[in-house]
Amino acid sequence: SRLFLEHFYFERSTHFNVAQKTGDIKKILHTYLDRSVRKKQIQEKALEESTQKDLYKIYGELLTAYAFQVEAGSSSFTTLNYYEEPYAEITIPLDPQLTAIENAQAYYKLYNKAKRTEIAATEQLAIIEEDIAYLQSVLLSLDLLETREDINELRSELIEMGYLKKRKGVSKNKPNRKELPFLHFKSSEGHDIYVGKNNYQNDELTMKFAKPNDLWLHIKDGPGSHVIIKNLEGQPFSDEVIYEGAMLAAFHSSGKMSSHVAIDYTYKRHVKKVPNAKPGMVIYVNFKTLFVTPTEVFVKKLN
């Protein structure tokens, strides 16, 4: 009982100290995240407005085809839209100061502008969504940090990614570790299971430490730690061991407080690093999905 209490207070004190030392990081990350969310909303609005482009093109083509029927000074022109089935009448707004052909040219310009906007907004959205996913993964990793080395490693990552400024007198080198930096668990069958505590560690764990026949697990479509179950003497992974790894992946992810969390798993050989992608970002194939509801009690049994 006394040992349990000592462990409880040590754990709470450790988390408190880490929270104190990373408070400035959390604030900066939330600022960047809020900014990215606003940028996303702007690009989504631009993309929504660009959906009018096809209508502008139809207006331009109909006006070009029936220019001789448009009366000078008209503010609108109604005709049959034969570009969409079933054919129906369509009313085209006009600038009465312009001829039918000039109105058609104006609509072609709007069409081309909307098309360019659609391409640019789509590209920007992909970049912004990657930024949001990365920032969410870093915010999540703050809860997993345990040591000063973990914190320094995260700071190094954020400096390299341009989110933090380098402090004067602070070494640029990553901290030297005598032990493996990852969280370490044991499966019920004796497998070593490792969990990355930040994106640098996720990259190191998956792309350098893990072997091709080790099992890799990660939450589907969300931020979370990479989890590696080491292959045990070439033996196939049992359903129980995969379930235990999935529980760890869910617990160390954005699905920690959720139920029926989707966890993807595959052999490490099917996981690839995307060139020029942010730390922790990978693509994978030949995977299966398992649904679990993580609990702290279950995770502590494996610790």
Side-chain angles (χ1 to χ4, degrees):
S1 175
R2 183 182 170 187
L3 188 63
F4 173 79
L5 283 172
E6 285 176 355
H7 176 73
F8 170 79
Y9 285 115
F10 171 76
E11 201 173 57
R12 192 169 73 169
S13 171
T14 301
H15 281 296
F16 176 73
N17 289 334
V18 168
Q20 269 192 323
K21 290 183 172 72
T22 57
D24 62 322
I25 297 177
K26 184 175 273 192
K27 190 176 179 181
I28 290 166
L29 290 174
H30 274 297
T31 300
Y32 276 110
L33 189 57
D34 291 343
R35 197 178 298 169
S36 292
V37 168
R38 286 197 297 273
K39 284 181 183 176
K40 184 182 178 184
Q41 290 168 345
I42 291 167
Q43 295 302 328
E44 283 176 337
K45 188 178 179 184
L47 202 57
E48 189 180 339
E49 289 172 355
S50 74
T51 57
Q52 288 284 93
K53 72 180 190 306
D54 293 332
L55 185 60
Y56 296 147
K57 188 180 182 185
I58 289 170
Y59 283 172
E61 291 180 348
L62 288 173
L63 285 172
T64 301
Y66 296 113
F68 62 95
Q69 292 183 9
V70 181
E71 293 183 14
S74 298
S75 58
S76 67
F77 173 64
T78 301
T79 187
L80 196 65
N81 178 14
Y82 54 83
Y83 287 100
E84 292 180 347
E85 292 185 355
Y87 300 152
E89 281 196 338
I90 188 171
T91 298
I92 305 170
L94 300 175
D95 183 340
Q97 303 296 319
L98 303 177
T99 66
I101 294 300
E102 286 170 341
N103 269 292
Q105 289 170 343
Y107 277 120
Y108 282 133
K109 281 182 181 177
L110 285 173
Y111 164 73
N112 287 320
K113 183 183 177 184
K115 194 163 67 170
R116 290 193 300 271
T117 299
E118 183 181 47
I119 293 167
T122 301
E123 289 174 353
Q124 284 300 308
L125 265 177
I127 294 167
I128 292 165
E129 283 171 353
E130 186 181 318
D131 286 342
I132 289 173
Y134 174 74
L135 290 166
Q136 287 175 334
S137 72
V138 177
L139 279 166
L140 185 73
S141 73
L142 292 179
D143 292 333
L144 305 180
L145 306 182
E146 295 178 323
T147 65
R148 184 176 294 172
E149 286 84 357
D150 288 338
I151 297 170
N152 290 340
E153 195 171 61
L154 182 65
R155 285 189 182 276
S156 296
E157 177 187 331
L158 292 173
I159 288 167
E160 189 175 315
M161 299 308 299
Y163 292 105
L164 289 183
K165 291 181 180 178
K166 188 176 183 297
R167 292 174 170 179
K168 290 181 180 179
V170 176
S171 171
K172 192 178 178 181
N173 297 327
K174 294 176 191 176
N176 292 319
R177 295 180 181 270
K178 294 178 182 178
E179 299 176 357
L180 290 173
F182 325 114
L183 295 173
H184 182 207
F185 300 86
K186 278 280 187 184
S187 80
S188 56
E189 296 176 12
H191 299 76
D192 288 305
I193 307 178
Y194 296 98
V195 177
K197 285 183 279 186
N198 58 49
N199 286 307
Y200 267 179
Q201 288 188 22
N202 286 335
D203 273 354
E204 185 184 346
L205 175 62
T206 300
M207 307 316 300
K208 295 179 182 178
F209 178 75
K211 297 290 187 289
N213 288 332
D214 292 341
L215 202 66
W216 180 89
L217 305 94
H218 192 275
I219 186 173
K220 179 186 282 292
D221 300 329
S225 294
H226 292 204
V227 175
I228 290 291
I229 307 177
K230 295 298 290 179
N231 190 292
L232 198 61
E233 298 173 359
Q235 296 297 316
F237 294 97
S238 69
D239 290 344
E240 186 176 358
V241 169
I242 294 171
Y243 176 79
E244 290 167 354
M247 287 288 276
L248 287 169
F251 188 79
H252 297 95
S253 77
S254 56
K256 180 177 179 177
M257 306 303 291
S258 306
S259 57
H260 304 294
V261 182
I263 302 296
D264 289 339
Y265 64 95
T266 185
Y267 286 107
K268 184 267 166 186
R269 63 176 177 268
H270 298 311
V271 183
K272 307 292 180 192
K273 184 72 184 166
V274 183
N276 303 317
K278 287 181 167 59
M281 303 290 180
V282 295
I283 53 174
Y284 53 95
V285 294
N286 298 341
F287 62 91
K288 294 180 180 178
T289 305
L290 183 65
F291 292 86
V292 297
T293 300
T295 65
E296 190 169 1
V297 173
F298 186 93
V299 168
K300 287 198 169 181
K301 283 181 183 177
L302 300 173
N303 194 348

